[in-house]
């Protein structure tokens, strides 16, 4: 029953992704639907695997590692939650992409751990587009300086930007925050002369607006798994 329910929800979300992409004149296959697996058990994730998705996003290191170990090595994992510097060693080399880098200190620790693994760790810079004091992320005006500092590190690769915008009941009130992130990305590309192709933005409540504004990754939990108990 669980698998049928997950499969049904997943198909509905995929259809919404496709429709949003079409409205924006974009190709749906250029958008990654990333199930946000916080508080979901391995059995539930296997149901998602059976429905054809094998790329997950986790918020917490301690919750993620047992799931990573239990599922096939072909599964791809992104780290999407706030990351403390002292947890970087547990994340580097396990997660394909770290979405939530918001300081040079954290980037330097990731770089150190990646060097120990003999690898390059892909990351996104997290931007606090709403200026909310309770959220992670750097202020948009500080993004260029941080990008330049992080780019000087040998074992870290910045692939784009991520944000969690302020919650707004009216979805049109969220749109300017997503647009702000896209426009910031465009300015950084122009200033720095290299691509930042990834925009990780949009969750269950607002992912369609995010796609219309240029999201390449949407982090969706509740719409796929149902409300958490």
């Amino acid at each position: 029953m669980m698998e049928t329910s997950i499969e049904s929800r997943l198909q509905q979300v995929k259809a919404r992704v496709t429709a949003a992409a079409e409205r924006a004149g974009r190709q749906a296959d250029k958008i990654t639907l990333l199930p946000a697996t916080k508080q979901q058990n391995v059995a539930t994730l296997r149901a998602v695997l059976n429905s054809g998705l094998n790329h997950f996003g986790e918020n917490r290191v301690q919750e993620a590692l047992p799931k990573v170990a239990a599922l096939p090595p072909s599964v791809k994992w992104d780290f999407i939650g706030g990351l403390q510097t002292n947890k970087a060693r547990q994340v580097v080399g396990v997660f394909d992409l770290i979405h939530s880098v918001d300081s040079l200190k954290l980037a330097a620790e990731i770089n150190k751990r990646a060097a120990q693994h003999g690898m390059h760790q892909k990351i996104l810079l997290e931007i606090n587009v709403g200026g909310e004091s309770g959220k992670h992320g750097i202020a948009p005006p500080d993004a260029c300086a941080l990008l330049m500092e992080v780019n000087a590190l040998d074992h870290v690769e910045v692939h784009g930007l991520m944000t969690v915008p302020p919650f707004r009941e009216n979805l049109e009130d969220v749109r300017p925050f997503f647009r702000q992130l896209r426009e910031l990305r465009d300015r950084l590309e122009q200033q720095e002369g290299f691509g930042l192709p990834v925009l990780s933005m949009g969750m269950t409540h607002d992912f369609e607006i995010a796609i219309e504004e240029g999201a390449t990754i949407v982090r969706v939990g509740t719409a796929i798994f149902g409300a958490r108990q």
Side-chain angles (χ1 to χ4, degrees), residues 18 20-31 210-217:
T18 298
E22 288 176 351
R23 286 194 297 273
R26 302 180 60 201
Q27 295 176 278
D29 62 2
K30 302 297 184 185
I31 299 157
I211 289 169
E212 291 173 9
E213 291 300 328
T216 65
I217 299 176

Side-chain angles (χ1 to χ4, degrees), residues 19-67:
E22 288 176 351
R23 286 194 297 273
R26 302 180 60 201
Q27 295 176 278
D29 62 2
K30 302 297 184 185
I31 299 157
T32 297
L33 172 59
L34 187 69
T37 58
K38 179 180 177 181
Q39 296 181 15
Q40 303 301 328
N41 60 34
V42 170
T44 302
L45 300 191
R46 289 191 190 281
V48 176
L49 282 175
N50 291 340
S51 296
L53 277 189
N54 71 337
H55 189 176
F56 296 133
E58 261 292 348
N59 288 70
R60 296 173 180 162
V61 180
Q62 294 310 118
E63 187 181 339
L65 296 180
K67 297 177 188 177

Side-chain angles (χ1 to χ4, degrees), residues 88-89 92 105-119 153-156:
R89 62 182 176 80
V92 173
K105 180 182 177 183
L106 176 57
E109 183 64 20
I110 291 170
N111 184 72
K112 173 185 170 183
R113 300 299 177 179
Q116 292 171 348
H117 284 277
M119 60 167 286
L153 302 172
D154 292 333
H155 291 271
V156 169

Side-chain angles (χ1 to χ4, degrees), residues 1-7 9 41 43-45 47:
M1 185 71 179
M2 176 188 70
E3 187 160 340
T4 303
S5 176
I6 292 251
E7 186 173 353
R9 289 196 203 101
N41 60 34
T44 302
L45 300 191

